[in-house]
């Protein structure tokens, strides 16, 4: 009940308030990621940029670490206008549409350049889908490529048999199942507890998450499988955006464009820094051997075929746009 009352109070507060005799807009932005995450740091910088560009006419309060709203409730809360803006792991929305899974398809985008092309190709469809719910994307930023954390050296796909693997979205869950593992859904903040209580034995995530969650406390090996580069997306309630004057709207869009550019670069830098941190704490980082790589590819190919069948014509158009972008470069 306290949470509901708090959200109602924030919704009432978060539209317009009197500051120094002028009407200043205040937004609340909910994110599930902690302050140590480069994503949160980027989002907070976005808020600071907006405040500076508008001379305080729009202030954005970033509520990190799921402190305001649970991850699964952020998008519905922004849609209802309970909070004005939010940040979510894009593929966590896959229960709504297969399109949201596109950046978690193994082998489709194997580096930052490919991941950016994929985002540009999928952005029109995702923007339209958000608009149908009264939402507007502001920017999207990828995590580093996903790999596999274990407390043993991973050399063969048979080692997945019966392994409880942390899988934060439906495609990761299917991927683990294709390999014979047992997927377990665990929020990032709950990873240490999940390992310590035996709910998970391994996880598929980035070097960034492994570093921020001190993965060396519960695993010893990281297989740098370069599976996919998933994204976070930051978005706003369109009605709240439309209430802003033209100059303030443009300030938000400009700050969002800069946050996207800055965030992609931060992801690259964090990937390198986090890998060094893992190794410095005794985590062994290796590439999959030829046999394991082949089995991972087979599991990914099966996932991609299933996705195309489920996603239909929208998926076909998206992939065609993506391939054209790649061919033109």
């Amino acid at each position: 009940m306290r949470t509901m009352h708090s959200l109602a109070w924030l919704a009432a507060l978060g539209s317009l308030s009197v500051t120094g005799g002028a009407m200043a807009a205040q937004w609340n932005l909910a994110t599930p990621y902690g302050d140590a995450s480069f994503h949160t740091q980027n989002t907070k910088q976005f808020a600071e940029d907006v405040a500076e560009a508008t001379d305080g006419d729009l202030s954005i309060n970033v509520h990190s670490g799921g402190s305001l709203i649970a991850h699964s409730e952020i998008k519905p809360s922004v849609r209802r206008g309970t909070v004005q803006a939010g940040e979510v792991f894009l593929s966590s929305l896959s229960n709504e549409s297969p399109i949201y899974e596109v950046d978690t398809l193994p082998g489709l985008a194997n580096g930052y350049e490919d991941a950016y092309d994929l985002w540009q190709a999928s952005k029109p469809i995702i923007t339209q889908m958000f608009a149908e719910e009264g939402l507007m994307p502001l920017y999207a930023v990828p995590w580093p490529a996903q790999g596999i954390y274990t407390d043993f050296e991973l050399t063969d796909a048979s080692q997945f048999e019966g392994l409880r693997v942390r899988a934060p979205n439906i495609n990761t869950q299917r991927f683990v199942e294709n390999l014979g593992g047992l997927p377990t859904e665990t929020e990032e903040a709950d990873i240490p507890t999940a390992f310590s209580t035996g709910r998970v034995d391994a996880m598929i995530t980035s070097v960034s998450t492994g570093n921020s969650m001190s993965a060396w406390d519960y695993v010893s090996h990281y297989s740098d499988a370069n599976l996919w580069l998933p994204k976070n997306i930051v978005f706003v309630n369109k009605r709240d955006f439309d209430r802003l004057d033209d100059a303030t709207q443009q300030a938000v869009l400009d700050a969002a464009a800069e946050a996207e550019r800055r965030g992609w670069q931060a992801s690259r830098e964090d990937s390198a820094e986090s890998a060094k941190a893992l190794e410095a704490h005794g985590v062994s980082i290796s590439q999959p051997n030829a046999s394991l790589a082949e089995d991972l590819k087979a599991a990914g190919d099966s996932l991609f075929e299933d996705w195309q069948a489920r996603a239909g014509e929208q998926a076909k158009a998206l992939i065609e746009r993506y391939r054209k972008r790649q061919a033109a470069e």
Side-chain angles (χ1 to χ4, degrees), residues 61-202:
N61 301 313
V62 178
H63 302 268
S64 59
S67 59
L68 184 63
I69 306 171
H71 196 169
S72 61
E73 289 300 313
I74 290 177
K75 183 167 174 278
S77 296
V78 178
R79 186 179 64 241
R80 291 191 299 265
T82 309
V83 294
Q84 291 72 39
E87 178 175 13
V88 300
F89 192 49
L90 184 60
S91 57
S92 70
L93 308 177
S94 58
N95 62 316
E96 301 176 18
S97 169
I99 294 299
Y100 294 130
E101 302 171 23
V102 70
D103 62 3
T104 58
L105 295 172
L108 187 59
N110 291 320
Y112 281 98
E113 290 78 11
D114 287 348
Y116 185 76
D117 283 342
L118 184 60
W119 167 232
Q120 294 305 308
S122 57
K123 188 175 181 178
I125 294 177
I126 291 173
T127 299
Q128 178 185 345
M129 293 167 64
F130 268 58
E132 291 170 357
E133 297 187 75
L135 303 171
M136 186 178 78
L138 292 175
Y139 61 91
V141 172
W143 291 90
Q146 307 291 283
I148 307 166
Y149 288 86
T150 55
D151 61 358
F152 54 85
E153 184 179 2
L154 184 62
T155 59
D156 191 277
S158 65
Q159 293 170 289
F160 277 93
E161 289 293 334
L163 198 68
R164 291 166 295 187
V165 183
R166 185 247 179 181
N169 55 69
I170 191 64
N171 259 4
T172 310
Q173 293 166 19
R174 293 186 181 115
F175 184 68
V176 170
E177 289 172 347
N178 286 349
L179 291 166
L182 303 173
T184 302
E185 189 171 355
T186 305
E187 285 290 348
E188 178 182 329
D190 194 38
I191 288 174
T193 302
F195 272 96
S196 64
T197 58
R199 296 205 314 272
V200 299
D201 307 308

Side-chain angles (χ1 to χ4, degrees), residues 266-287:
S267 182
R268 291 173 183 268
E269 294 171 358
D270 192 86
S271 179
E273 293 168 2
S274 292
K276 290 180 181 178
L278 289 172
E279 289 184 311
H281 284 88
V283 176
S284 176
I285 298 179
S286 61
Q287 305 289 324

Side-chain angles (χ1 to χ4, degrees), residues 24-45:
Q26 294 188 5
W27 286 0
N28 292 293
L29 190 159
T31 176
Y33 300 99
D35 292 333
S37 169
F38 74 88
H39 281 284
T40 302
Q41 293 166 14
N42 188 43
T43 298
K44 287 188 173 184
Q45 185 61 55

